[in-house]
Amino acid sequence: QRVTAMTRGIYTKYWTWSIAANQNIEFTFVINCDINEIALSFWELLTILENLLDNALDAAVHEEMNRRVSLVFEDEDKWIALYITNTGATITDEQLPKLFNPGYTTKESEARGFGLYIVKSLVDSYRGRITVIRNPETKFVISLPKKQALQSW
């Protein structure tokens, strides 16, 4: 049931509503694991995904060509890894250490800058990990513990 709700939520927001399609962004979504094993609640996971996917789409839309965003779930032993990749501008060395600070934004709006802070707070609260890979595409790797692994720690 959780898989169905999650899939429907992501598909509806990023494809059926045509956010990606209207912006000429190729959106790929793959699940290679049982997402019911993720220790987070449905709403916590959806909060992480919405923030990261919104940022990825926003980055990709500024590219002239080759606009792509992907979300892949992978089973990695005691973890479920989320790979969110986009072909937008690379995060600079100056931006990287500030990305997860509350209120930090590269966008031109005062109402922004809390999404990645919220993502990091949620991931940290479950002893997860965030890795940012910046070349050639920007990729956020979110490693979240499986329920069984979290219970044994």
Side-chain angles (χ1 to χ4, degrees):
Q1 183 177 15
R2 180 176 171 180
V3 173
T4 303
M6 178 68 62
T7 304
R8 191 172 33 242
I10 292 169
Y11 181 81
T12 298
K13 182 164 187 181
Y14 295 99
W15 188 252
T16 305
W17 286 1
S18 301
I19 292 172
N22 284 341
Q23 298 295 329
N24 236 5
I25 299 171
E26 177 187 333
F27 180 67
T28 307
F29 176 40
V30 179
I31 299 177
N32 291 325
C33 64
D34 179 359
I35 63 172
N36 290 309
E37 293 184 7
I38 299 173
L40 282 71
S41 74
F42 171 80
W43 295 111
E44 290 168 323
L45 183 57
L46 200 56
T47 297
I48 289 170
L49 292 173
E50 285 189 345
N51 279 294
L52 291 171
L53 288 171
D54 283 345
N55 286 348
L57 287 166
D58 191 52
V61 77
H62 291 91
E63 291 301 300
E64 294 277 329
M65 302 171 49
N66 213 13
R67 297 175 172 179
R68 290 191 318 271
V69 171
S70 67
L71 168 62
V72 178
F73 287 79
E74 292 286 350
D75 189 319
E76 297 182 355
D77 193 27
K78 295 181 180 183
W79 305 89
I80 300 292
L82 287 59
Y83 295 87
I84 298 94
T85 307
N86 75 77
T87 55
T90 302
I91 296 167
T92 67
D93 289 341
E94 181 183 324
Q95 293 168 332
L96 188 61
K98 301 174 193 174
L99 281 182
F100 301 102
N101 293 347
Y104 178 74
T105 184
T106 60
K107 299 168 181 81
E108 305 210 5
S109 171
E110 292 180 28
R112 308 280 302 234
F114 291 92
L116 289 178
Y117 170 74
I118 292 167
V119 168
K120 183 164 179 12
S121 297
L122 284 169
V123 171
D124 287 351
S125 73
Y126 284 90
R127 297 189 230 173
R129 299 182 303 246
I130 300 176
T131 305
V132 180
I133 301 168
R134 302 181 289 159
N135 200 3
E137 300 173 327
T138 301
K139 181 182 294 187
F140 280 75
V141 182
I142 310 298
S143 298
L144 299 168
K146 292 181 180 178
K147 290 175 188 174
Q148 189 174 28
L150 190 61
Q151 291 169 355
S152 67
W153 292 339

